[in-house]
Amino acid sequence: MPKTITIFMTLLLGGACLIWACGGSSEGDDDSTGGDSDTDSDSDSDSDSDGDSDSDSDSDSDSDSDSDSDSDSDSDSDSDSDTDTEIECVDAEYDIEIEPVVMMVVMDRSASMHKDENQMDGQYYDEVLQPALKGVIAETEKFIAYGLVVFPSKDCETSPTSYDETCYGPYELDNSDDYIEPKPNNSGEIDDALKINDVCGGTPTRKALRWTRDYLENDLPDDLKDRPKFVLLATDGAPNCNKDDDLLPCEGDECTNATDPCTVPHQCLDDDETYLEAEALFDDDVLVYVVGVGENLTGGPYATVMSTIADKGGTGDFYPADDEDSLNAAFDEIADLALDFTFDILWDQVPDQVDNLLVDKACDKVTVYGVKGPDDEDELYFDPDCSNETEDKPAWHWEGMTDEPDPDALDECTVVELCPIAQQKLKDGVWESVTARFNCDPIVID
């Protein structure tokens, strides 16, 4: 009650008391309990029976008719006249789902992968390639759904005498067992397949890429069809298995065999058709990464072939790997390029209320946490352009934004993206996952 009104009421009551003292009865009041001048049975001076000193019928000391202690007439605890509750930071939780990307490893198992003249750090190419693949898959299998297809088919003959026996592509025969279906956490199954992988035949790269394109388009599991897709081609030589008799005799760089000129077409370079398959994958939004295994592909004419396959596949250039370190580095970099550290926020799945408290759905009322374990979390900083992130201040931002978001533009802030240091913590296993909460102010890096 304003101070001036309080003084006026005090004077008014004081005057009434004087009038009563001058003209009233000297026998006391006429209620049954005595002591006050009203007609009810309580000890206060008003005429109701609630026991307080105000004139309403509730039990509190304010002058409204509700039972709370504020001055309005509603039933909530705030001082306005509506029936809602003040918006508070209620931590509406939202589980962020890690959705893996798809990576089909297309691996060369031609006879040249296990020749005495084709060694790397004292090991045959296939002996170095398998553990390198195993390592990168084990490190990133939570975020990348790896699949495997080998070429030529396991049905090729160890000592082939015909084109077909040399150049069977994946699944050209019904009894083939040439691929592992892509899925997350797949390192064990792929490792088992690599352990029993032998070598034979030629290098039908064109057929392998064609099979992979058909598989990704038609047979990929439903839960992966809408995810980003990549191909990792690892090979030690130029594509051959060309079936065009018109090429004969092919010689020089067009002959992929040690005996020059080539006298059978499947020994002739099959570059143009392979380029078309890489380009077709790229047209299907599938990026094709190429790793050239061994010294034969670090220079010379076939390095140009590898570069062109990568270029047609949308990745610019291939990764030459002539030792174990460069092979591991190539696989690590490709995996990093494929990793997706963005997470969708579906605002219609964020609750409107938590414990009867309203949730303020706004772009600037989101916090993101790295989950280390049960009841153990690190709160991430909000850094609009990731430029101020540090090791002790891992951060996130809204994808596609570099400034503070418009709080009400929910259609623009729909994807949380981790900044590089936060990405690395998730990749390294410092955090098991990430989660978000709504209606709280994030910590902003200045």
Side-chain angles (χ1 to χ4, degrees):
M1 184 178 294
K3 188 172 182 180
T4 54
I5 297 178
T6 303
I7 295 172
F8 174 76
M9 290 297 292
T10 302
L11 293 173
L12 186 62
L13 290 173
C17 184
L18 289 174
I19 294 171
W20 177 259
C22 295
S25 169
S26 61
E27 296 178 0
D29 61 23
D30 59 355
D31 62 14
S32 58
T33 58
D36 59 11
S37 59
D38 55 27
T39 58
D40 56 25
S41 58
D42 56 26
S43 58
D44 58 23
S45 59
D46 58 24
S47 58
D48 57 27
S49 57
D50 57 13
D52 59 20
S53 59
D54 56 24
S55 58
D56 56 28
S57 58
D58 56 24
S59 57
D60 57 25
S61 59
D62 57 25
S63 59
D64 57 24
S65 57
D66 56 22
S67 57
D68 56 26
S69 57
D70 58 23
S71 58
D72 56 25
S73 58
D74 57 26
S75 57
D76 59 23
S77 57
D78 56 28
S79 58
D80 56 24
S81 57
D82 55 27
T83 56
D84 62 7
T85 303
E86 291 288 350
I87 293 176
E88 300 179 12
C89 182
V90 293
D91 277 350
E93 295 190 4
Y94 183 90
D95 291 330
I96 293 179
E97 183 178 355
I98 296 176
E99 296 184 299
V101 300
V102 177
M103 177 78 78
M104 285 298 295
V105 178
V106 182
M107 191 181 81
D108 185 355
R109 58 179 295 275
S110 61
S112 59
M113 293 288 289
H114 198 90
K115 285 186 174 181
D116 290 341
E117 63 267 28
N118 291 343
Q119 294 192 29
M120 181 185 295
D121 298 331
Q123 301 180 80
Y124 294 109
Y125 289 167
D126 62 323
E127 294 175 339
V128 179
L129 182 59
Q130 292 172 13
L133 280 172
K134 176 184 175 181
V136 71
I137 291 172
E139 288 178 2
T140 57
E141 62 180 340
K142 183 177 181 179
F143 312 101
I144 300 177
Y146 285 98
L148 172 70
V149 62
V150 297
F151 69 99
S153 169
K154 291 182 180 179
D155 292 307
C156 80
E157 300 293 332
T158 304
S159 299
T161 60
S162 69
Y163 171 85
D164 287 338
E165 291 177 354
T166 301
C167 295
Y168 280 129
Y171 276 78
E172 283 200 270
L173 297 181
D174 291 339
N175 62 342
S176 296
D177 183 20
D178 299 326
Y179 93 106
I180 302 295
E181 180 180 276
K183 51 181 170 281
N185 303 308
N186 208 18
S187 60
E189 188 176 356
I190 291 178
D191 185 40
D192 290 342
L194 292 174
K195 287 177 181 177
I196 60 175
N197 187 51
D198 56 1
V199 298
C200 72
T203 311
T205 310
R206 168 182 55 87
K207 289 184 176 183
L209 293 179
R210 176 59 185 268
W211 181 91
T212 302
R213 180 164 64 93
D214 289 344
Y215 174 80
L216 293 175
E217 182 177 350
N218 300 311
D219 298 314
L220 195 64
D222 289 342
D223 60 332
L224 296 175
K225 285 184 176 179
D226 294 331
R227 302 299 299 146
K229 302 171 188 66
F230 306 88
V231 165
L232 194 168
L233 171 64
T235 180
D236 77 324
N240 53 28
C241 287
N242 200 319
K243 205 171 184 178
D244 188 354
D245 289 334
D246 293 339
L247 294 173
L248 292 176
C250 62
E251 55 188 2
D253 294 341
E254 295 297 319
C255 177
T256 64
N257 194 34
T259 302
D260 188 8
C262 291
T263 57
V264 291
H266 62 257
Q267 294 175 344
C268 295
L269 184 66
D270 190 24
D271 52 352
D272 290 339
E273 294 296 319
T274 303
Y275 300 155
L276 290 176
E277 292 300 334
E279 190 172 29
L281 279 161
F282 180 57
D283 289 342
D284 288 344
D285 295 322
V286 180
L287 293 176
V288 180
Y289 292 100
V290 181
V291 177
V293 180
E295 294 180 353
N296 293 335
L297 295 180
T298 58
Y302 297 141
T304 301
V305 174
M306 296 295 104
S307 292
T308 305
I309 296 173
D311 182 61
K312 296 294 184 180
T315 57
D317 203 353
F318 84 116
Y319 292 81
D322 57 1
D323 58 34
E324 190 172 355
D325 289 342
S326 59
L327 186 63
N328 288 324
F331 288 152
D332 286 342
E333 183 172 334
I334 290 169
D336 284 343
L337 291 170
L339 285 171
D340 183 11
F341 290 105
T342 62
F343 310 97
D344 294 334
I345 299 297
L346 304 177
W347 287 100
D348 59 348
Q349 294 184 12
V350 179
D352 295 321
Q353 292 188 9
V354 174
D355 297 330
N356 295 321
L357 295 174
L358 296 180
V359 175
D360 186 10
K361 295 183 182 181
C363 299
D364 61 347
K365 297 291 185 181
V366 180
T367 48
V368 177
Y369 297 82
V371 180
K372 301 167 73 173
D375 303 319
D376 190 5
E377 299 174 335
D378 292 333
E379 182 173 351
L380 276 65
Y381 288 75
F382 177 74
D383 185 3
D385 60 2
C386 292
S387 61
N388 296 307
E389 185 190 35
T390 61
E391 188 66 34
D392 59 344
K393 292 182 178 180
W396 68 279
H397 71 134
W398 291 112
E399 185 184 44
M401 294 187 187
T402 57
D403 298 314
E404 294 283 347
D406 178 353
D408 299 322
L410 298 187
D411 59 331
E412 296 180 8
C413 51
T414 59
V415 180
V416 166
E417 182 174 29
L418 301 186
C419 296
I421 292 174
Q423 292 181 14
Q424 193 64 42
K425 287 181 179 292
L426 186 59
K427 179 185 173 184
D428 291 345
V430 175
W431 302 323
E432 296 176 357
S433 61
V434 292
T435 188
R437 297 198 182 102
F438 297 82
N439 210 33
C440 296
D441 294 323
I443 304 175
V444 179
I445 297 180
D446 296 328

